[in-house]
Amino acid sequence: MRRFPKTIGFGVLTDIRPAGLPEARPTRSIFTALTGHRLFAAVLTLAAALRVVTMLGYRPAQLYWYDSFTYLDAAVHLKPSFAFHPIGYPLLLRVLWPFHSVGVIAGVQHAMGLGTGVMIYALLRRRSLPAWGAALATVPVLFDASFLRLEHAVLSDTQFIFLIVAGLTTLMWSPELSTRAATGAGLLFAMAALTRTIALPLLLLVLVLLAVRRVGWRPLAAAAIAGILPLVAYAGWYDHHYGRFALNSADGVALWARTMTFADCAVLKPPADQRVTPAFGFAHGSRPLPEQPLIGEVKREYDPGIRGLYSVRPYADLLIAYQYPAYLRGPPLGAILLLGAAGAVLRRRAVLLPWGVAVALLVAPVAVLDFDHRYVLPVVPIACLAAALAVRELVRPAIREPVRRRPPRRRPARPAG
């Protein structure tokens, strides 16, 4: 039997195997690769356990009047909502409609939260961060109690965060941006804009930053086309239904959001249960749903088991105690943003894109609507990504490449005689 030597590099023999047999891949190398992520595997397991406790402690899911029910209604009838919400999140709810369970929706969103942490960790490891540093950057999105509550609610925020992080991961995965990756990222940011329209300026910002990085006209054009075409198509669909070429009709909602920031409860005298807005949301008891025709319609068409959220001991006890320390306050988030800013200034190429997206997500909702802790949460994972990259770039020692000396030129030997 003939044997063919396997070579690597410049003809260095590595092994000899029979011709036609598949190359053997030793399991030891796979095991070694997996053991390099044992720390993050432990972190991810703990984060998954917290999400299981959340689903056991608060059932079936957090439903808000009126946002949650307009999402569910749009998923059933599959048409653009006239008012505030575009179609991106209802498309996910439509896919999950056959289960007829808002609990399944919460479970899928908890999985998205874990997926967001996995993407951040994978990207940072690809950018040569140590395992402990990459795992540390995922701690806020995986363990902050605010994210547990957000993922457990029938709201578009978790999908929005997942899509933005996925878009950044696609753009930053390789040093050289390919046309295919740019197309995928453009589609992800377009889907994010169809989930929450606050992502519209993000798409423009990303295109500007890609142009600054000089990625080439083909990837830039691919990202622009892939990001704009779905928005134009949806605006045309919206125009077909409502006679207006737009993504929504949110003028009244935006006005209400701006005026409620200076509402004086002493003058308006709202009911007692509406005067206080607690910063922490896990509590004992139940929250009955209001009597609204739309709620009854959604019960009949989407999930007959829909009811107000209620707590279950002892799981709720654990989460109520957990939420107070497991909460990222403003000063630490400010420090994370400042660290990313330092990296964006000193190592612009690596850090500027995620830091710019984080700042835009922080400023845009306040400028358009109002300040709400819920609107700050999408900033957290992206700011942590930028800060981790900044630390890596700022502390990385300068690697001096050895000077390559040319070998001396040999003079040709003179012919004898």
Side-chain angles (χ1 to χ4, degrees):
M1 182 181 295
R2 291 188 303 166
R3 296 176 180 268
F4 293 90
K6 179 184 176 184
T7 62
I8 59 172
F10 300 98
V12 180
L13 296 179
T14 57
D15 67 351
I16 298 177
R17 58 189 175 87
L21 290 182
E23 179 182 353
R25 296 184 178 180
T27 56
R28 184 177 180 181
S29 62
I30 299 175
F31 177 77
T32 303
L34 292 177
T35 54
H37 306 290
R38 285 181 296 182
L39 174 62
F40 181 67
V43 169
L44 195 65
T45 301
L46 291 175
L50 273 175
R51 283 154 176 80
V52 172
V53 172
T54 303
M55 295 192 68
L56 292 174
Y58 292 92
R59 306 174 190 177
Q62 179 66 65
L63 296 161
Y64 291 93
W65 172 260
Y66 106 123
D67 290 12
S68 299
F69 295 95
T70 55
Y71 284 130
L72 293 167
D73 181 65
V76 171
H77 298 99
L78 205 59
K79 67 176 183 178
S81 172
F82 174 74
F84 194 54
H85 305 302
I87 201 63
Y89 185 54
L91 288 178
L92 172 65
L93 303 183
R94 177 79 176 198
V95 173
L96 301 178
W97 185 20
F99 295 97
H100 298 288
S101 170
V102 294
V104 171
I105 297 172
V108 170
Q109 292 182 168
H110 284 306
M112 283 185 175
L114 295 174
T116 300
V118 170
M119 286 188 288
I120 294 173
Y121 175 81
L123 180 57
L124 291 175
R125 292 289 281 148
R126 187 169 176 83
R127 291 300 181 102
S128 301
L129 263 79
W132 67 266
L136 182 62
T138 68
V139 167
V141 71
L142 291 179
F143 291 96
D144 192 313
S146 298
F147 284 97
L148 299 179
R149 291 170 43 215
L150 193 65
E151 295 164 15
H152 203 59
V154 182
L155 293 173
S156 63
D157 303 62
T158 299
Q159 176 176 312
F160 177 75
I161 295 171
F162 182 86
L163 290 170
I164 294 296
V165 173
L168 286 174
T169 302
T170 304
L171 286 176
M172 301 175 64
W173 189 252
S174 298
E176 299 296 330
L177 181 63
S178 67
T179 302
R180 180 181 299 181
T183 302
L187 290 173
L188 288 168
F189 278 102
M191 194 62 192
L194 292 177
T195 301
R196 287 183 60 190
T197 52
I198 203 65
L200 282 173
L202 288 184
L203 178 59
L204 179 60
L205 174 65
V206 166
L207 294 176
V208 171
L209 292 179
L210 290 179
V212 171
R213 287 176 52 186
R214 299 180 181 179
V215 297
W217 69 269
R218 288 182 179 177
L220 184 61
I225 294 171
I228 293 173
L229 281 183
L231 303 179
V232 173
Y234 178 76
W237 188 29
Y238 189 93
D239 180 65
H240 173 74
H241 280 276
Y242 304 113
R244 180 180 179 183
F245 191 80
L247 300 181
N248 58 29
S249 178
D251 297 340
V253 176
L255 178 61
W256 167 80
R258 299 305 297 174
T259 56
M260 78 174 187
T261 57
F262 53 82
D264 189 351
C265 293
V267 176
L268 299 176
K269 297 181 180 179
D273 60 344
Q274 297 180 12
R275 293 178 184 176
V276 181
T277 304
F280 303 102
F282 288 128
H284 288 300
S286 61
R287 301 177 183 178
L289 298 174
E291 295 292 334
Q292 295 288 344
L294 180 59
I295 295 180
E297 183 179 344
V298 169
K299 281 186 178 181
R300 290 190 301 270
E301 296 179 336
Y302 197 95
D303 179 6
I306 284 179
R307 56 167 294 180
L309 186 75
Y310 65 96
S311 62
V312 178
R313 292 176 181 262
Y315 311 105
D317 298 330
L318 175 63
L319 291 171
I320 291 171
Y322 172 81
Q323 66 183 338
Y324 289 95
Y327 177 72
L328 185 65
R329 269 75 175 179
L333 178 58
I336 292 172
L337 286 168
L338 287 176
L339 186 57
V345 172
L346 300 177
R347 296 290 190 271
R348 184 175 59 186
R349 182 178 178 85
V351 188
L352 182 59
L353 178 59
W355 183 80
V357 170
V359 171
L361 283 172
L362 180 65
V363 173
V366 178
V368 175
L369 294 173
D370 67 324
F371 177 82
D372 191 304
H373 178 66
R374 171 189 157 197
Y375 297 152
V376 179
L377 293 181
V379 179
V380 174
I382 303 169
C384 291
L385 173 63
L389 289 172
V391 171
R392 172 59 182 165
E393 293 295 323
L394 293 174
V395 304
R396 181 173 58 182
I399 301 176
R400 297 181 179 179
E401 296 185 358
V403 179
R404 297 181 179 179
R405 298 180 179 179
R406 294 183 179 180
R409 182 180 298 179
R410 294 183 180 179
R411 297 182 179 178
R414 296 181 180 179

